[in-house]
Amino acid sequence: MALASLKQILDEAAKGGYGVGAFNVNNMEQIQGIFKAAQELESPLIIQASFNAVKYAGLKFLQHLMKAATETYPDVPVALHLDHGPDFDRCKTCIELGFTSVMIDGSLDYSSKEKKKPARSFEDNVAVTKQVVDYSHQFGVSVEGELGTLGGIEDEASAQKVMLTDPEQANAFVEQTGVDALAVAIGTSHGAYKFKEKPIIDIERVKVIHEKIPHTPLVMHGSSSVPMELTEKLNTFIVVSKGKDDEGGPYIDFLGKKYYIDQDYSIARDMVYDLFFKNRLKKTMGVPIESIQMGIRNGVRKINVDTDGRLMVTTAILEVLCSQPEKFDPRDYLEPSREAIYNMVKGKILAFGSAGRSKDYKPKSLKRMKKVYEK
Ligand code: G3H
Ligand code: 13P
Ligand code: ZN
């Protein structure tokens, strides 16, 4: 088994000048697809679950799925990481479950009932992050902290107001907390809707932060590329258009087939149209791979990807269900979803430069990492 700590994986990445993908998981197929890609390309890996994912799959289920993967793929050095740990208690729960690394997201106040969370003060962020660091390091578990806030509209880890990371504060934050890695806000956001026309990512800020804290690996959240081919493909499965022609009057075009309707059914027609058309993905842009590669050249070592995986899975499933509507065996559409994730992760591993790096080092046990922290 090649369980590794996040600290070791990222420190090795810093030595080698590459980045490591941190992929979010919720189910078995995602875990299997990601591990298969890492194994084939001999890449280290960070597999991460948000607390919502832990709740969705069930604490024990997710723990055992991840454990099964580490046993099946013993050559992949892998960190099991909690993404956006909202508070000390939930970080502690995941450490007890066997995660080798946690993120405490002290940048936001997760106790707020609002959908978008208010930012926490620098002092409060330092206090909760240090509490998690002191606890985790006793067990050799690594900690990622976050300074600055990311926007985004689809998940809980979205701030009411975007605040880019202040490089001076980054220095003080790392000194006062002892975090192993720092997530920085540089203009990216979570979810599919990052940029409308042109991505604006503050690589200059990454450079300055890296100069201030050269020994702390930086983390880029919200790093999905949201490829246009993918969103366009996804839209083709759900587009309904309405029209009128001489042959049979008004119709709904659903997946390329015309369904003629009587005027009396116009309410139903509008309902179907709203249901499908309004739910289409809007035009959007994600983070270009080149920007991530520039980040990597300037100290980014962990690259968080969730949305691209979600889009891949959904597109693969819709493709089967729409082209072969007679299928109802879940394996018929879950297998292609596993394959889609596998292909996506392979592409990211190659782009981030971590391919062929898994044999560069031997993963240190958490016991050994504990000794590293004691020094
Ligand atoms: O940054 C957040 C991740 O994309 C996880 O989202 O809380 O919906 O699992 P989630
Ligand atoms: P994306 O939504 O861009 O995939 O970002 C995921 C993320 O940052 C998880 O922490
Ligand atoms: Zn994130």
Side-chain angles (χ1 to χ4, degrees):
M1 196 157 63
L3 267 188
S5 79
L6 182 75
K7 179 172 171 53
Q8 188 187 12
I9 288 182
L10 299 185
D11 287 349
E12 288 290 340
K15 269 193 237 164
Y18 59 90
V20 182
F23 302 102
N24 285 70
V25 295
N26 303 277
N27 68 14
M28 182 183 79
E29 284 76 12
Q30 287 174 308
I31 295 176
Q32 290 173 331
I34 295 167
F35 269 85
K36 187 175 162 217
Q39 163 94 351
E40 239 173 74
L41 291 178
E42 301 190 336
S43 170
L45 185 64
I46 300 157
I47 204 105
Q48 60 186 14
S50 68
F51 208 81
N52 284 333
V54 174
K55 267 198 314 211
Y56 167 78
L59 294 175
K60 284 275 166 201
F61 276 97
L62 205 62
Q63 173 204 8
H64 284 281
L65 283 172
M66 286 171 159
K67 196 161 167 271
T70 60
E71 287 170 10
T72 311
Y73 297 99
D75 300 329
V76 178
V78 59
L80 304 184
H81 179 76
L82 169 67
D83 189 27
H84 292 283
D87 51 39
F88 174 79
D89 287 341
R90 281 178 275 188
C91 289
K92 187 166 172 267
T93 301
C94 288
I95 292 169
E96 285 160 3
L97 275 177
F99 282 58
T100 60
S101 153
V102 292
M103 173 189 189
I104 170 69
D105 184 357
S107 71
L108 297 180
D109 178 4
Y110 285 91
S111 66
S112 159
K113 294 273 170 294
E114 306 208 29
K115 189 156 169 27
K116 287 193 174 209
K117 307 295 176 213
R120 270 197 169 134
S121 68
F122 178 80
E123 291 71 25
D124 287 354
N125 189 355
V126 167
V128 68
T129 306
K130 181 153 174 32
Q131 187 189 11
V132 172
V133 168
D134 289 346
Y135 180 80
S136 309
H137 284 183
Q138 296 177 76
F139 304 99
V141 168
S142 325
V143 180
E144 171 187 339
E146 174 162 331
L147 189 64
T149 55
L150 270 76
I153 54 172
E154 289 114 290
D155 58 31
E156 274 193 8
S158 304
Q160 287 173 355
K161 193 163 171 266
V162 175
M163 284 186 294
L164 300 189
T165 307
D166 173 339
E168 289 300 336
Q169 274 196 344
N171 196 7
F173 186 80
V174 168
E175 264 183 21
Q176 291 173 34
T177 59
V179 282
D180 301 292
L182 183 68
V184 290
I186 52 167
T188 64
S189 55
H190 292 118
Y193 299 107
K194 302 184 192 301
F195 304 103
K196 279 205 176 100
E197 275 161 19
K198 194 167 153 276
I200 304 169
I201 297 157
D202 196 345
I203 297 293
E204 201 42 46
R205 187 173 295 267
V206 179
K207 231 179 187 167
V208 179
I209 297 171
H210 184 49
E211 277 161 18
K212 299 262 175 218
I213 46 170
H215 305 299
T216 306
L218 303 180
V219 184
M220 210 165 143
H221 281 246
S223 299
S224 279
S225 296
V226 196
M228 206 175 300
E229 321 85 73
L230 194 60
T231 52
E232 278 174 358
K233 185 168 180 190
L234 208 151
N235 281 340
T236 64
F237 300 122
I238 52 176
V239 173
V240 174
S241 58
K242 39 185 183 177
K244 217 173 184 182
D245 64 20
D246 299 338
E247 274 176 54
Y251 63 81
I252 298 170
D253 184 314
F254 179 58
L255 298 171
K257 187 171 167 196
K258 281 180 184 165
Y259 295 88
Y260 287 96
I261 39 176
D262 194 288
Q263 285 290 13
D264 292 348
Y265 289 97
S266 63
I267 293 174
R269 176 198 64 193
D270 288 345
M271 190 189 79
V272 173
Y273 181 80
D274 285 354
L275 185 65
F276 289 97
F277 190 79
K278 280 195 178 155
N279 290 338
R280 285 176 69 181
L281 282 173
K282 293 169 201 63
K283 192 164 172 271
T284 176
M285 291 190 84
V287 181
I289 286 290
E290 300 72 42
S291 302
I292 296 174
Q293 289 169 332
M294 268 205 286
I296 293 172
R297 285 197 285 279
N298 289 288
V300 169
R301 300 293 161 224
K302 175 174 181 274
I303 299 113
N304 282 19
V305 178
D306 188 356
T307 300
D308 280 352
R310 294 175 177 191
L311 290 169
M312 283 287 173
V313 164
T314 304
T315 306
I317 292 175
L318 281 171
E319 192 161 15
V320 173
L321 294 181
C322 290
S323 61
Q324 303 168 77
E326 73 284 5
K327 297 278 187 199
F328 59 88
D329 181 338
R331 288 170 296 192
D332 288 333
Y333 52 85
L334 293 179
E335 163 56 26
S337 83
R338 179 165 58 190
E339 190 70 10
I341 287 273
Y342 156 75
N343 284 319
M344 177 203 77
V345 172
K346 268 191 9 187
K348 304 272 184 203
I349 286 175
L350 291 170
F352 303 160
S354 63
R357 297 299 193 149
S358 66
K359 295 206 167 66
D360 288 359
Y361 55 96
K362 221 173 148 278
K364 288 182 189 144
S365 66
L366 290 190
K367 238 181 173 169
R368 277 191 62 199
M369 288 309 295
K370 179 173 151 62
K371 295 232 162 66
V372 170
Y373 290 124
E374 279 165 3
K375 274 185 199 157

